[in-house]
Amino acid sequence: MEPLKIAIQKSGRLSEKSQELIAECDIKIIQGKRKLVGYSDDYPIEVLFLRDDDIPQYVADGVADIGIVGENEVLEKDKNVEIVKRLGFSKCRLSLAIPQDINYSGTEWFNGKRIATSYPHILQKYLDEQGVKATIEEISGSVEIAPGIGLAEGIFDIVSSGGTLVSNRLKEVEVVIKSEAVIVSNTTLSKEKKALLEGLLYRMHTVQQSNGNKYILLNAPNEKLEEIIEILPGMKSPTVLPLYEKGWSSIHSVVHEKEFWTIHEKLKNLGAEGILVIPIEKMIM
Ligand code: PRT
Ligand code: ZN
């Protein structure tokens, strides 16, 4: 069978998480000699290690079938690819920023100004929508220093914590897009490759579903069973098993870690004992 070719970032902010995601699907990647291509014995998959900028193009051309890349790159490159899954990591935003000491009135402030960016396509689209006429200075890195060296009055760049802006005496004035890592797919995948993609997405889904969920076991006096079951959310209905000691049962269920501390208090008040909370690797609903 022809493997599903997946492009991921070779090194950078996305690479570790991308590899982790594949590993969580129980797919171990064996790197080839030149470290540009990896393959696996666990799933018909081939991994191409690329620069993130190239991923949308390679997926559109069919060099890779799918790719893991920041949504910002997908929107900037504007190639014929389809977003098939949002991954929830590498979250950031693309924002306009200007020197801190300037009084900002609204997007019209940018009229007649120069804006430095590595994302000219997204920026132009936004300026057109806003009816703003500004000059875009395209630069490939260190965009944040542009106002300081007199190259531009404002910048349009990726912001995450905002620390880079602050240390360059800039302030964020407009959030234009929000981005996260996504899986993009070629739009003309064969039936076989579509099935491989579905299989992969299903594995990711089961891992994601288990995220934050814990398996909970506890012992409870039988006369409190009803009340305890009432406060345990569970997938369907909890498992209740009799204990050797008369009048007591063991209850098994699933709780989200966010709910645990609230529930835990109530359980104790109802007489629950021996509460065990165990991590869950995968959940298939
Ligand atoms: O070498 P290659 O071309 O593959 O990598 P790259 O250098 O182009 O990209 P990389 O690895 O830096 O980022 C990959 C992707 O991570 C981006 O396309 C975004 O989708 C996502 N991402 C998430 C970020 C950030 N957070 C981020 N903070 N990308 C870049 N930054 C930079 C930003 O450019 C700015 O200089 O971090 C600075 C801002 O961070 P804060 O926290 O100070 O606001
Ligand atoms: Zn890049």
Side-chain angles (χ1 to χ4, degrees), residues 9 11 51-54 73 77 119 140:
Q9 192 188 26
S11 66
R51 280 202 59 190
D52 70 341
D53 312 56
D54 297 333
E73 285 299 331
K77 297 299 188 286
Y119 294 90
S140 58

Side-chain angles (χ1 to χ4, degrees), residues 197-240:
L197 172 59
E198 283 310 314
L200 191 67
L201 292 176
Y202 180 73
R203 288 191 186 198
M204 289 178 184
H205 188 64
T206 60
V207 175
Q208 275 181 342
Q209 237 164 4
S210 67
N211 278 352
N213 277 314
K214 306 278 178 205
Y215 194 75
I216 183 171
L217 294 110
L218 56 95
N219 296 332
N222 285 346
E223 69 270 16
K224 295 287 184 190
L225 273 182
E226 296 290 330
E227 283 171 85
I228 287 180
I229 288 170
E230 194 71 26
I231 56 172
L232 284 175
M235 289 210 281
K236 213 164 189 182
S237 162
T239 307
V240 180

